[in-house]
Amino acid sequence: SGMYLPDRVLQLALNYVDVGIDFSVTFKLLKPHLPELLFNITFPLLCFSDEDMELWQDDPHEYVRKSYDCLEEYFSPRTAAINLILHTVKIRTKHSLGIFVRFASDQLANYTANPMDL
């Protein structure tokens, strides 16, 4: 809805959802929302942002350092999103792999068709 959520809160929320993937009771509740989790929450976190572009242009060394900083990675919503996707596909392959592969394929096809519409 365009509301601001601090990175730490988002990271903790994604980690909380990640834990719920393991249990059948909570996964039953999460399963209908997997596409929304992917399309509206995790994918935007994985995209190269305006802040990333600004840091890359201003200080490429800092961008690389930040990308490989273990402490930064621990608190990063981007890392939590990656972990959520990996864990979901690993644990609940039957229910999630098709959704994730189809979405990735659609995103690549859209980019191929319109490379300037980032």
Side-chain angles (χ1 to χ4, degrees):
S1 66
M3 297 180 67
Y4 175 74
L5 192 62
D7 284 349
R8 180 68 173 150
V9 173
L10 184 55
Q11 180 258 337
L12 290 171
L14 290 171
N15 287 344
Y16 185 78
V17 171
D18 190 16
V19 170
I21 297 297
D22 288 329
F23 306 103
S24 62
V25 173
T26 52
F27 184 71
K28 285 180 187 176
L29 297 171
L30 287 171
K31 185 178 169 185
H33 304 286
L34 280 178
E36 186 174 327
L37 264 171
L38 172 66
F39 307 147
N40 298 331
I41 299 171
T42 59
F43 182 71
L45 289 171
L46 301 179
C47 293
F48 193 73
S49 67
D50 291 337
E51 292 86 22
D52 293 334
M53 177 62 84
E54 184 177 330
L55 183 58
W56 174 253
Q57 290 174 341
D58 292 345
D59 190 356
H61 293 286
E62 177 62 17
Y63 177 82
V64 171
R65 187 206 62 76
K66 186 177 178 183
S67 297
Y68 291 102
D69 184 6
C70 294
L71 188 58
E72 183 81 29
E73 197 169 284
Y74 180 73
F75 294 109
S76 168
R78 182 175 283 170
T79 302
I82 291 169
N83 291 338
L84 175 60
I85 291 169
L86 291 174
H87 189 220
T88 303
V89 170
K90 181 179 178 184
I91 301 298
R92 304 293 179 173
T93 307
K94 183 174 108 177
H95 303 288
S96 61
L97 185 60
I99 293 168
F100 291 114
V101 169
R102 199 170 20 260
F103 180 75
S105 176
D106 290 346
Q107 292 301 309
L108 291 172
N110 288 343
Y111 178 75
T112 302
N114 302 310
M116 297 309 285
D117 294 343
L118 292 177

